[in-house]
Short mmCIF file of all heavy atoms in Angstrom, two decimals:
data_model
loop_
_atom_site.label_atom_id
_atom_site.label_comp_id
_atom_site.label_asym_id
_atom_site.label_seq_id
_atom_site.Cartn_x
_atom_site.Cartn_y
_atom_site.Cartn_z
N SER A 113 62.88 90.01 175.31
CA SER A 113 64.13 89.71 175.91
C SER A 113 64.35 90.33 177.21
O SER A 113 64.98 89.80 178.22
CB SER A 113 65.20 90.14 174.98
OG SER A 113 65.12 89.41 173.71
N TYR A 114 63.97 91.52 177.38
CA TYR A 114 64.04 92.32 178.66
C TYR A 114 63.38 91.50 179.86
O TYR A 114 63.78 91.43 180.89
CB TYR A 114 63.65 93.62 178.53
CG TYR A 114 63.89 94.61 179.75
CD1 TYR A 114 65.25 95.16 179.75
CD2 TYR A 114 63.04 94.87 180.69
CE1 TYR A 114 65.47 96.06 180.80
CE2 TYR A 114 63.33 95.73 181.75
CZ TYR A 114 64.63 96.28 181.85
OH TYR A 114 64.88 97.11 182.85
N GLN A 115 62.14 90.98 179.42
CA GLN A 115 61.30 90.32 180.40
C GLN A 115 62.03 89.02 180.74
O GLN A 115 61.91 88.66 182.04
CB GLN A 115 59.90 90.08 179.81
CG GLN A 115 59.06 91.32 179.78
CD GLN A 115 57.73 90.96 178.95
OE1 GLN A 115 57.57 90.07 178.33
NE2 GLN A 115 56.75 91.88 179.10
N GLU A 116 62.64 88.45 179.83
CA GLU A 116 63.32 87.23 180.14
C GLU A 116 64.44 87.35 181.25
O GLU A 116 64.66 86.46 182.05
CB GLU A 116 63.91 86.49 178.94
CG GLU A 116 64.52 85.13 179.10
CD GLU A 116 64.88 84.51 177.98
OE1 GLU A 116 64.81 85.05 176.72
OE2 GLU A 116 65.48 83.27 178.02
N PHE A 117 64.99 88.52 181.20
CA PHE A 117 66.21 88.72 182.12
C PHE A 117 65.79 89.76 183.20
O PHE A 117 66.60 90.15 183.99
CB PHE A 117 67.43 89.29 181.19
CG PHE A 117 67.92 88.33 180.34
CD1 PHE A 117 67.63 88.56 178.97
CD2 PHE A 117 68.59 87.26 180.78
CE1 PHE A 117 68.07 87.64 178.06
CE2 PHE A 117 69.05 86.30 179.80
CZ PHE A 117 68.76 86.53 178.44
N ALA A 118 64.49 89.99 183.36
CA ALA A 118 64.05 90.90 184.43
C ALA A 118 64.47 90.52 185.85
O ALA A 118 64.73 91.30 186.73
CB ALA A 118 62.53 91.13 184.37
N GLU A 119 64.50 89.23 186.06
CA GLU A 119 64.74 88.63 187.45
C GLU A 119 66.23 88.37 187.67
O GLU A 119 66.64 87.97 188.80
CB GLU A 119 63.95 87.39 187.66
CG GLU A 119 62.48 87.57 187.55
CD GLU A 119 61.91 88.44 188.79
OE1 GLU A 119 62.43 88.31 189.83
OE2 GLU A 119 61.09 89.23 188.53
N THR A 120 67.19 88.51 186.69
CA THR A 120 68.52 88.33 186.73
C THR A 120 69.38 89.58 186.61
O THR A 120 68.88 90.59 186.09
CB THR A 120 69.00 87.23 185.77
OG1 THR A 120 68.75 87.84 184.46
CG2 THR A 120 68.15 85.97 185.87
N GLU A 121 70.53 89.39 186.94
CA GLU A 121 71.47 90.47 186.68
C GLU A 121 72.41 90.02 185.47
O GLU A 121 73.54 90.18 185.37
CB GLU A 121 72.35 90.75 187.87
CG GLU A 121 71.69 91.29 189.08
CD GLU A 121 70.97 92.68 188.78
OE1 GLU A 121 71.59 93.49 188.05
OE2 GLU A 121 69.84 92.83 189.07
N ALA A 122 71.74 89.64 184.43
CA ALA A 122 72.35 89.28 183.17
C ALA A 122 73.23 90.38 182.76
O ALA A 122 72.87 91.54 182.78
CB ALA A 122 71.47 88.85 182.20
N LYS A 125 71.52 92.66 180.09
CA LYS A 125 70.27 93.26 180.44
C LYS A 125 70.09 94.71 179.91
O LYS A 125 69.25 95.19 179.37
CB LYS A 125 69.86 93.14 181.82
CG LYS A 125 68.47 93.56 182.25
CD LYS A 125 68.13 93.35 183.67
CE LYS A 125 66.94 94.04 184.09
NZ LYS A 125 66.77 93.84 185.57
#
Side-chain angles (χ1 to χ4, degrees):
S113 299
Y114 192 82
Q115 289 170 343
E116 184 173 2
F117 297 105
E119 296 296 320
T120 67
E121 291 302 318
K125 182 177 171 185

